[in-house]
Amino acid sequence: MIDLHVHSTCSADGGANIADYARRAQELGLVEVGLCEHADFDPRDRSYRYLDLACYDREMAAARAIAPEVRLRQGVEITYQANLEAELRTWLAGKRWDYVIASVHLVDYDDGWAMVSEPSAVEAYFGRHSQRQAYLPYFEELLRAARSGLGDVLGHFDLVKRYGVAQYGRFEPASFADEIRAVLRAAVEAGVGLEINTSGLRQAPGDPYPGLTVLRWYRELGGEILTVGSDAHRVEHLAAAADQALALARAAGFSAITTFEAQAARWITLDDLEARKAFLQPDGG
Ligand SMILES: [Zn+2]
Ligand SMILES: [Zn+2]
C-alpha cells in the first residue's frame, strides 16, 4: 500500500518515468508512493551529478496530475560518505524534500574503494578478504551516516550482504551484533529511522535489508521510525513484497509504519493499512 523507495529515469539507473509509476500506483490502489532519486557526489558513482532538479520537479507535477488519488512524495537518496559530509550537508540545506534517505553504497577499504551495491565489490575486495574485513568498514560508515543525522532514514541497512552472501554465505546479524546495535542506537539518538527495503527478497540474500533480527533490535532500542520501500527501478517492482514487509514490521514489534511530508514524520497504523486492503480486495484476492 505504501512504497517510499522508488527510482525513475531521474536517476541514472532508473528504467521508468515518474508518470508510469503514478499510473501503476493508481491501478494498484496504493496510498502513497515516494520517489527518492539518487544524488551522488563522488565521480565513481553512476549517478554522479546526474540528478536534474528542475526536471524532477516537472515530472513530479505531471505525475500528480495523472494520479490525484495517490499521495506522491518527492524524496532523495544520498550516497553518504564521511569524506563528503560537509558537501552533502550544504547541498541538502538549500533543498526542500519530503524525506531524505541516507545510504552507504561506497566503502573506503584499506586498499581502495569498493561499490558494495554492485557485483564488482566481489572482485574489488570481497574475494580477497574475510567477511569481517568486508563488512566491518561498511557498518562503521553506516554508523557515521546515522550520527550525521543527514537522512530521515538509513537506506537498505545491511546492503553489504547483497553480494557478500555469494562470498561468505547467509548473513547472520549476530556475528556483528555489537556493531549493528551501535548503529541502531545512534540512529535512535539522532532521530533517524530505518526502512524495510524489500529488494533483498528478490536478490541473492532472499531477505530484506534488513531482516527480522535487526528490526527487532531496532525496536527494542526504542526505534519508531520505519518506512517500507521496494527500491524499484522499474514499474513491475513498485510496491513489491509490501505485504511481507508489513508482516515483518508487525513481527518485529511495530504497530505502524512511517511516511514523511516536508521531512515531518507521520505514522499509519498497520491495522489501518490492512483495513484498506480488505476494502479494496473484498474477495481476499
Ligand atoms: Zn541505495
Ligand atoms: Zn535506492
Side-chain angles (χ1 to χ4, degrees):
M1 312 299 293
I2 290 194
D3 187 345
L4 290 193
H5 198 136
V6 176
H7 294 281
S8 78
T9 44
C10 291
S11 294
D13 55 0
N17 59 43
I18 299 174
D20 294 335
Y21 284 114
R23 273 184 214 102
R24 183 68 184 140
Q26 188 123 304
E27 280 167 24
L28 291 171
L30 299 188
V31 176
E32 195 156 329
V33 170
L35 280 299
C36 61
E37 308 299 353
H38 288 295
D40 294 330
F41 299 84
D42 189 303
R44 283 165 287 213
D45 236 308
R46 192 141 50 119
S47 288
Y48 175 61
R49 292 194 173 161
Y50 185 88
L51 184 59
D52 178 338
L53 295 172
C55 178
Y56 192 9
D57 284 344
R58 258 196 325 272
E59 293 205 7
M60 284 301 296
R64 284 186 173 122
I66 289 169
E69 286 151 46
V70 183
R71 286 195 296 266
L72 287 174
R73 301 295 187 203
Q74 189 171 15
V76 69
E77 180 183 14
I78 57 166
T79 296
Y80 175 84
Q81 287 175 244
N83 63 317
L84 297 179
E85 192 173 313
E87 191 181 334
L88 292 168
R89 200 174 292 282
T90 303
W91 186 82
L92 284 170
K95 315 275 183 304
R96 192 174 184 278
W97 301 107
D98 283 319
Y99 60 99
V100 176
I101 298 180
S103 299
V104 173
H105 297 115
L106 272 166
V107 176
D108 184 9
Y109 288 112
D110 49 18
D111 58 355
W113 289 80
M115 184 76 72
V116 299
S117 55
E118 296 193 350
S120 60
V122 177
E123 210 176 305
Y125 194 83
F126 294 0
R128 292 177 282 110
H129 295 82
S130 70
Q131 187 192 44
R132 198 139 194 96
Q133 288 169 320
Y135 287 17
L136 206 57
Y138 172 85
F139 286 119
E140 285 168 355
E141 185 78 335
L142 195 64
L143 177 60
R144 292 186 280 269
R147 284 183 178 151
S148 77
L150 284 177
D152 297 295
V153 298
L154 293 175
H156 39 65
F157 189 90
D158 48 11
L159 178 73
V160 72
K161 73 187 177 190
R162 176 169 179 180
Y163 296 102
V165 291
Q167 190 71 32
Y168 310 113
R170 191 183 155 77
F171 175 59
E172 301 294 346
S175 309
F176 295 89
D178 290 346
E179 292 81 8
I180 288 172
R181 282 175 194 276
V183 179
L184 296 172
R185 238 176 261 120
V188 170
E189 274 166 28
V192 174
L194 256 57
E195 64 165 358
I196 300 179
N197 187 308
T198 62
S199 67
L201 285 163
R202 51 180 197 268
Q203 294 167 356
D207 212 22
Y209 309 113
L212 182 59
T213 304
V214 173
L215 292 169
R216 276 199 177 125
W217 290 347
Y218 173 56
R219 185 76 191 123
E220 283 162 16
L221 290 165
E224 289 177 343
I225 301 169
L226 182 67
T227 65
V228 169
S230 66
D231 220 330
H233 287 71
R234 47 200 170 99
V235 168
E236 304 86 271
H237 289 150
L238 181 65
D243 285 353
Q244 266 171 279
L246 297 181
L248 204 62
R250 208 184 271 282
F254 292 85
S255 57
I257 57 161
T258 314
T259 73
F260 292 92
E261 180 173 10
Q263 295 196 277
R266 206 164 52 79
W267 281 265
I268 302 181
T269 69
L270 297 174
D271 288 346
D272 280 355
L273 285 170
E274 265 159 31
R276 185 182 158 107
K277 195 181 164 215
F279 174 74
L280 286 170
Q281 301 176 327
D283 304 331

